[in-house]
Amino acid sequence: MPRPILATIHSAALRHNLGQARRRAPDARVWAVVKANAYGHGIERCFEALRGADGFALLDLAEAERLRALDWRGPILLLEGVFEPRDLETCSRLNLWHAVHCDEQIDWLAAHKTQQPHRVFLKLNSGMNRLGFRPAALRAAWSRLNALPQVDEISFMTHFSDADGTRGIGHQVAAFEAATADLAGERTLCNSAAILRHVDHPLRGVGVSTLASDWVREGIALYGGAPDYPEHTAGDWGLRPTMTLSSRLIGVQQLQPGDTVGYGSTFTAERPMRVGVVACGYADGYPRHAATGTPILVAGVRTRTIGRVSMDMLAVDLSPLDEAGVPAGIGSEVVLWGVSPSTGTALSIDEVACAAGTIGYELMCAVASRVPYLLE
């Protein structure tokens, strides 16, 4: 039999989470953000569950090509725009919409020969200071684009730096509204955190209609992650886990006081205890830096990892199962994150990530290619 590790993608949860964005922003169209191979879930595996979206947003031309090969004929938005002039030829061929965030991209458009004018999203740097034109430069950029025969419709976008935190989005929305006032075109501002935390809550002195007016961009929430964990869990937002990483016990050791576990002997038993060995390690995408105490499920029972994660294995404390009288041995089910197939018990990917000093986004994207996937 193959090594007993599996990543299961839950189609029903993807559809449900897409519906949560629609419920919170009922007047907006929804971009399903599928960059990074649908946050590690696989574009092809997710497509049927997400084809109810109004459009797909991503970064790579190759991923856009894959969506068109799946017979998606709706909008596809390149969130970072094109990276060199010849990319515009692919945009013309595939009918891709693309962000414009710098003068060089406008220069490339001006030199581009096309029979089909492009739909572009002019990006404002409203305070994140990654990509985009600063407010004072936006209108000049718009004027240049508006004068080009290579450009059809001009829309507007920005990205929030603190939608998941205490600073919030008011200062950026105000900058966006001031910079784009009286300029016609659709808007897209909200990422997952803004959809969940701000669309339903008016901002003092700012037109909240801007937030959910035309398009919202659902990223991490689409995949069942809470963008503001631990302030809120995915369950608090009505989101369901879309990926379960599961394996099985392939070994059991009986420890005595003073025995150590794993490389570097970072865990020492203080009492007699049983330890299970799981077929999962950092070569499968589980974080090596996950320390003793990272939550994990064995036979549906919550317990902890112990010792250092190695390339192909990690160790778990079987004491909670022994104390509860739950049998556990070779072949017992292990859930690294997600939902136990046997009991329905859930372990949030956000909680695992937080214990490992990272975020759920990274764990989703880091599952290794050697791990087989199952779509359900």
Side-chain angles (χ1 to χ4, degrees), residues 48-69:
E48 286 300 324
L50 298 181
R51 68 183 310 158
D54 299 290
F56 289 92
L58 40 70
L59 303 182
D60 296 330
L61 290 171
E63 292 186 338
E65 190 98 51
R66 287 160 60 189
L67 277 170
R68 290 297 188 221

Side-chain angles (χ1 to χ4, degrees), residues 307-320:
R308 186 176 293 169
V309 175
S310 57
M311 179 179 283
D312 308 303
M313 291 172 278
L314 58 84
V316 295
D317 183 359
L318 296 180
S319 301

Side-chain angles (χ1 to χ4, degrees), residues 119-185:
R119 172 76 176 270
V120 300
F121 278 69
L122 181 58
K123 185 161 190 176
L124 175 72
N125 174 9
S126 59
M128 181 106 173
N129 288 311
R130 292 193 314 188
L131 301 179
F133 292 91
R134 297 190 71 84
L138 188 81
R139 287 184 179 259
W142 178 88
S143 295
R144 288 190 66 199
L145 287 170
N146 193 49
L148 293 179
Q150 295 90 339
V151 173
D152 182 13
E153 187 172 345
I154 303 172
S155 301
F156 300 92
M157 66 187 300
T158 195
H159 192 64
F160 296 132
S161 59
D162 295 275
D164 57 346
T166 55
R167 190 182 186 193
I169 64 173
H171 62 295
Q172 288 188 261
V173 175
F176 182 88
E177 289 198 327
T180 61
D182 303 322
L183 294 178

Side-chain angles (χ1 to χ4, degrees), residues 360-373:
Y361 305 63
E362 183 178 7
L363 299 190
M364 292 177 188
C365 295
V367 176
S369 58
R370 76 175 186 175
V371 175
Y373 279 78

Side-chain angles (χ1 to χ4, degrees), residues 22-239:
R22 292 207 181 280
R23 185 179 69 80
R24 292 181 177 275
D27 297 326
R29 283 168 286 175
V30 179
W31 293 110
V33 181
V34 293
K35 63 181 180 176
N37 198 23
Y39 286 52
H41 290 62
I43 287 173
E44 287 78 7
R45 284 185 287 269
C46 295
F47 177 68
E48 286 300 324
L50 298 181
R51 68 183 310 158
D54 299 290
F56 289 92
L58 40 70
L59 303 182
D60 296 330
L61 290 171
E63 292 186 338
E65 190 98 51
R66 287 160 60 189
L67 277 170
R68 290 297 188 221
L70 291 167
D71 202 32
W72 174 254
R73 295 294 172 256
I76 297 176
L77 174 62
L78 298 176
L79 291 167
E80 293 179 357
V82 298
F83 301 104
E84 61 179 0
R86 65 179 179 177
D87 291 345
L88 291 169
E89 299 172 9
T90 305
C91 290
S92 294
R93 178 171 57 85
L94 297 178
N95 189 24
L96 305 181
W97 302 359
H98 50 98
V100 172
H101 61 75
C102 62
D103 285 315
E104 288 80 1
Q105 290 176 329
I106 301 178
D107 294 339
W108 300 341
L109 271 165
H112 177 54
K113 294 179 173 58
T114 180
Q115 299 296 319
Q116 179 179 338
H118 288 226
R119 172 76 176 270
V120 300
F121 278 69
L122 181 58
K123 185 161 190 176
L124 175 72
N125 174 9
S126 59
M128 181 106 173
N129 288 311
R130 292 193 314 188
L131 301 179
F133 292 91
R134 297 190 71 84
L138 188 81
R139 287 184 179 259
W142 178 88
S143 295
R144 288 190 66 199
L145 287 170
N146 193 49
L148 293 179
Q150 295 90 339
V151 173
D152 182 13
E153 187 172 345
I154 303 172
S155 301
F156 300 92
M157 66 187 300
T158 195
H159 192 64
F160 296 132
S161 59
D162 295 275
D164 57 346
T166 55
R167 190 182 186 193
I169 64 173
H171 62 295
Q172 288 188 261
V173 175
F176 182 88
E177 289 198 327
T180 61
D182 303 322
L183 294 178
E186 293 184 345
R187 271 75 165 146
T188 176
L189 289 85
C190 285
N191 56 4
S192 287
I195 294 168
L196 297 173
R197 291 171 64 97
H198 300 291
V199 165
D200 293 338
H201 299 86
L203 299 169
R204 184 174 299 173
V206 173
V208 74
S209 61
T210 300
L211 292 180
S213 56
D214 298 305
W215 292 88
V216 295
R217 307 186 303 271
E218 189 179 22
I220 190 62
L222 195 60
Y223 306 99
D228 56 352
Y229 186 88
E231 181 181 350
H232 294 96
T233 67
D236 292 336
W237 293 124
L239 303 171

